[in-house]
Amino acid sequence: MPMKPAFPIRPASLLIAFLASTPSLAQWIDYPTAGVPRRPDGSVDMHAPAPKLPDGKPDFSGIWTTAEPNRGDKREVDAASDGTDIAASRQMADIGVDLPGGLPYQPWLVPIVKERTANLAVDDPHIRCFPDNFLRAYGLPHLLKFVHKPGLLVVLNEMNAGYRQVFTDGRPLPEDPNPTPQGYSSAKWSGDTLVVDTIGVRDNTWIDWNGSVLTEAAKVREEMQRPDFGHLVIKVTVDDPKAYTKPWTVTLKERIVVDAELIDEICLENEQDYKELKGLE
Amino acid sequence: MQTKVAAAWALAACFAPFALVEAHHSAASLYRLDKEITVEGVVTRYSLGNPHARIYLKVKGQNGVDEDWMAEGGSRTVLIRKGWTGEEVHPGDTVKIVGNPSRDGSKVVHWEKLVLPDGRELWGEDIAPGDLDRLRERRRTQE
């Protein structure tokens, strides 16, 4: 017969004791990233060759943040981030900022975007802690982690601990998808470019702070390239006849983040801004 | 303790030049980024929480009555990466907070700089020490 302890030890007690004795911030915030090419001075060699997958294709694995922070110009940051200097991209507010004349909105969408821009996006789903669509996530100051292997590219988003799957196993896009914030993505290689096609995104999915949207009719193509170790270039073409009068194309640029790790940011945990924002209406 | 709520600079035409981090919301949605106030008070609660760090404090109003203020800082993730631990301030500490006032007049401030009881200064996620001086200069020249 087993001996009884002098006082009962329950699993919950052990957990509480463990949590109480463990520094709450004991995370891998600055754990060194393996396999980083460096210059003699120790800085990251951004222009070293991109890593390869076992099949010889570029490996997009890594943590990424925008290479074009919103500093009021088009200056690209050509240095690795350690996660402490992240910022929103210059396309964060207007993903069509580089397009002459701006995004080609359908007439019904023009006053909506105008109102959202004027009221500083008080109805932004991001503020209400809804998931960010992948186009928007490229420009937000939350780290994205690409986990790439033959057949599958997974993008982890520290914001709301979200994820996106891009299948590269040759599967066709679904014929009648149930719309979701990220939609359904299938990709093929064209040389060293990964061509990602996505459909099945929900109506009224915001893709920038001005309130530009995708609808369920949207077909999004991303042509992803990793030209070197430190950079990711994503040429995005949106064909969404419900929201836009013609297809449009923009290019988004990311830079590598090293010696850092994702930190779950669960927005709903203590969200208090939305009620104040609604008070501004 | 003394309340110091001093409006500093007038409307600036553009907020973009500085890389203000819009982590959970654009700070411009809630705060007048073109203005700056200084709030000094006694901490009642501090949370390095999601989605933003917040300091709650009692501030002596102009009529001598305590006012409840809340200072909102950067996102938890960014501040943790910058070395914040959640032990920066404690209830009872007297702190000074420099930041942007609310748009609707409520007693909240978007902090740019936090001055601790021992005089040390900590910076929000958006602003580095040099950047704050440059931001002030830009506000001044855009008056």
Side-chain angles (χ1 to χ4, degrees):
Chain A
M1 186 174 174
M3 288 180 63
K4 285 186 178 176
F7 53 90
I9 301 176
R10 295 189 172 91
S13 306
L14 287 173
L15 177 62
I16 291 169
F18 172 77
L19 292 174
S21 63
T22 304
S24 61
L25 303 177
Q27 302 174 52
W28 298 304
I29 295 168
D30 51 4
Y31 192 82
T33 303
V36 176
R38 295 188 185 271
R39 298 191 188 96
D41 65 1
S43 62
V44 176
D45 185 354
M46 298 289 282
H47 299 283
K52 300 286 188 186
L53 293 169
D55 62 7
K57 295 298 185 185
D59 183 351
F60 296 152
S61 296
I63 299 178
W64 302 95
T65 190
T66 181
E68 298 184 291
N70 181 24
R71 300 186 196 282
D73 58 26
K74 291 188 176 182
R75 247 183 328 136
E76 189 175 335
V77 179
D78 191 22
S81 169
D82 63 0
T84 65
D85 57 351
I86 59 176
S89 79
R90 64 183 183 80
Q91 296 102 333
M92 187 279 300
D94 176 5
I95 197 169
V97 67
D98 291 336
L99 297 175
L103 292 175
Y105 299 115
Q106 289 284 5
W108 67 269
L109 188 52
V110 171
I112 292 174
V113 171
K114 190 174 179 182
E115 180 185 0
R116 289 171 174 171
T117 305
N119 68 21
L120 298 172
V122 295
D123 289 318
D124 186 348
H126 178 84
I127 298 170
R128 298 163 64 188
C129 299
F130 282 89
D132 298 304
N133 174 262
F134 58 90
L135 288 185
R136 197 170 183 197
Y138 288 132
L140 287 172
H142 308 283
L143 297 183
L144 301 176
K145 184 173 189 174
F146 284 41
V147 182
H148 199 182
K149 65 173 206 163
L152 181 65
L153 169 64
V154 176
V155 180
L156 305 174
N157 186 342
E158 65 181 352
M159 183 65 180
N160 289 322
Y163 73 92
R164 176 197 185 197
Q165 296 189 89
V166 177
F167 292 98
T168 58
D169 57 359
R171 71 180 61 193
L173 291 170
E175 289 186 2
D176 186 19
N178 179 26
T180 71
Q182 306 302 341
Y184 300 80
S185 301
S186 186
K188 295 175 183 170
W189 288 102
S190 175
D192 282 345
T193 301
L194 186 64
V195 181
V196 183
D197 287 318
T198 301
I199 62 169
V201 174
R202 277 187 192 169
D203 270 345
N204 198 30
T205 292
W206 287 39
I207 54 174
D208 61 24
W209 185 41
N210 283 356
S212 307
V213 296
L214 297 179
T215 73
E216 291 182 10
K219 298 175 183 174
V220 181
R221 170 162 285 186
E222 296 158 271
E223 295 169 73
M224 290 186 187
Q225 295 180 323
R226 186 171 185 175
D228 51 30
F229 178 80
H231 301 88
L232 201 60
V233 180
I234 305 154
K235 181 180 169 189
V236 176
T237 301
V238 171
D239 182 4
D240 185 348
K242 272 177 69 177
Y244 303 97
T245 58
K246 59 184 179 183
W248 49 269
T249 299
V250 297
T251 299
L252 309 176
K253 297 178 180 177
E254 304 282 305
R255 63 182 171 127
I256 195 77
V257 180
V258 302
D259 304 337
E261 194 44 90
L262 306 188
I263 301 173
D264 286 0
E265 182 171 350
I266 308 301
C267 175
L268 268 177
E269 188 175 32
N270 191 30
E271 206 296 303
Q272 296 184 24
D273 294 327
Y274 185 60
K275 61 178 185 290
E276 294 183 32
L277 284 167
K278 296 303 286 184
L280 297 178
E281 289 182 325
Chain B
M1 147 204 32
Q2 207 173 2
T3 305
K4 300 173 186 171
V5 184
W9 288 274
L11 183 65
C14 176
F15 307 132
F18 285 81
L20 296 168
V21 175
E22 286 91 6
H24 173 58
H25 57 74
S26 168
S29 307
L30 280 170
Y31 304 99
R32 293 290 303 264
L33 302 188
D34 56 314
K35 292 183 178 297
E36 185 178 278
I37 59 173
T38 299
V39 176
E40 186 171 340
V42 176
V43 175
T44 57
R45 187 157 66 92
Y46 165 49
S47 165
L48 183 58
N50 281 312
H52 286 220
R54 293 188 172 96
I55 298 173
Y56 298 83
L57 60 168
K58 292 279 187 190
V59 172
K60 194 71 76 182
Q62 290 181 342
N63 57 3
V65 176
D66 279 349
E67 298 174 343
D68 290 317
W69 279 72
M70 189 271 280
E72 184 175 46
S75 82
R76 174 178 179 271
T77 51
V78 173
L79 293 176
I80 286 174
R81 288 197 180 97
K82 289 188 171 184
W84 291 55
T85 65
E87 296 294 324
E88 283 72 23
V89 297
H90 301 90
D93 287 349
T94 298
V95 298
K96 186 165 70 175
I97 293 170
V98 180
N100 311 117
S102 67
R103 286 186 172 275
D104 66 355
S106 58
K107 294 181 177 58
V108 296
V109 55
H110 175 247
W111 92 60
E112 296 171 325
K113 184 172 75 171
L114 167 66
V115 184
L116 300 175
D118 62 5
R120 283 183 299 137
E121 296 179 346
L122 296 175
W123 305 84
E125 67 173 305
D126 302 340
I127 302 288
D131 281 350
L132 184 56
D133 290 338
R134 287 192 285 275
L135 179 59
R136 286 171 167 165
E137 175 64 17
R138 187 177 299 272
R139 286 177 180 139
R140 191 185 63 76
T141 58
Q142 289 181 340
E143 278 181 359

